[in-house]
Amino acid sequence: CYGLSPLGPSARMRVPHGVDARISFGPHAPGGQYATMKSTRTVLACAAAILLLAMGVRQTMGLFMPQMTVANGWSRDEFALAIALQYILWGAFVPFAGAIADRFGAGRVLVASAVAYIAGLALMALSQTPLHLGLSAGLLIGLALSGTTFGVVMGSVAKVVKPEKRSVALGIVGA
């Protein structure tokens, strides 16, 4: 590492993905491999919108609890178990979502996670048993949150913003 290759000082080591990503946007992008971003502001606006939607929906889960528990005859413990499962899976799978985003691209992870989020919300609305609620609100939405929240989105922002402006950009998106 750091130039100390067992093959000698002249051996070229693979450049880390983060360095490659800086040239993946704009006029130096390899043809057809990455999308061209016109503006850093566009990236910031899209990242803020993704976080707003993903986190906003997650924050409202408590508002649904009284209606869902009364309508289905569940206890609040059964609803809380599904939400706890969601939080555990979200935290456990963020590193994996980040690794997949580094390997295959953040856009693919965001799209797949958004589809899982939509499926989880739709199935949550149709849940008839606490098991269905746990699978939809807990499993699907928990996995989807790992790919649509801070780990993937902030990593994407950090790749396109200059290092001296990075903390301001991440603060804007996170706010």
Side-chain angles (χ1 to χ4, degrees):
C1 290
Y2 303 111
L4 301 176
S5 172
L7 302 175
S10 63
R12 290 196 34 92
M13 298 183 78
R14 186 184 176 319
V15 179
H17 181 71
V19 175
D20 291 337
R22 287 195 190 108
I23 62 168
S24 65
F25 295 107
H28 303 293
Q33 186 177 3
Y34 297 100
T36 302
M37 284 290 177
K38 299 292 183 190
S39 167
T40 303
R41 291 181 185 174
T42 306
V43 175
L44 294 179
C46 290
I50 291 167
L51 283 178
L52 176 75
L53 290 171
M55 298 300 288
V57 171
R58 185 192 65 83
Q59 298 287 356
T60 61
M61 293 291 178
L63 298 175
F64 300 130
M65 186 185 72
Q67 294 83 6
M68 286 188 75
T69 55
V70 169
N72 293 311
W74 303 334
S75 69
R76 68 174 178 224
D77 298 337
E78 293 165 330
F79 189 89
L81 179 64
I83 301 303
L85 178 64
Q86 179 187 105
Y87 287 165
I88 290 168
L89 290 175
W90 174 26
F93 282 95
V94 166
F96 299 108
I100 293 168
D102 283 344
R103 172 102 174 156
F104 299 107
R108 290 183 176 130
V109 172
L110 286 168
V111 168
S113 297
V115 168
Y117 209 141
I118 292 167
L121 289 172
L123 292 173
M124 180 183 167
L126 300 173
S127 294
Q128 297 297 316
T129 66
L131 176 64
H132 291 144
L133 182 68
L135 292 175
S136 61
L139 178 71
L140 270 176
I141 294 177
L143 292 175
L145 280 170
S146 66
T148 56
T149 54
F150 297 103
V152 175
V153 174
M154 294 297 201
S156 299
V157 170
K159 288 178 183 177
V160 298
V161 177
K162 295 178 184 175
E164 59 271 8
K165 303 277 186 180
R166 196 168 287 158
S167 61
V168 173
L170 295 175
I172 290 169
V173 171

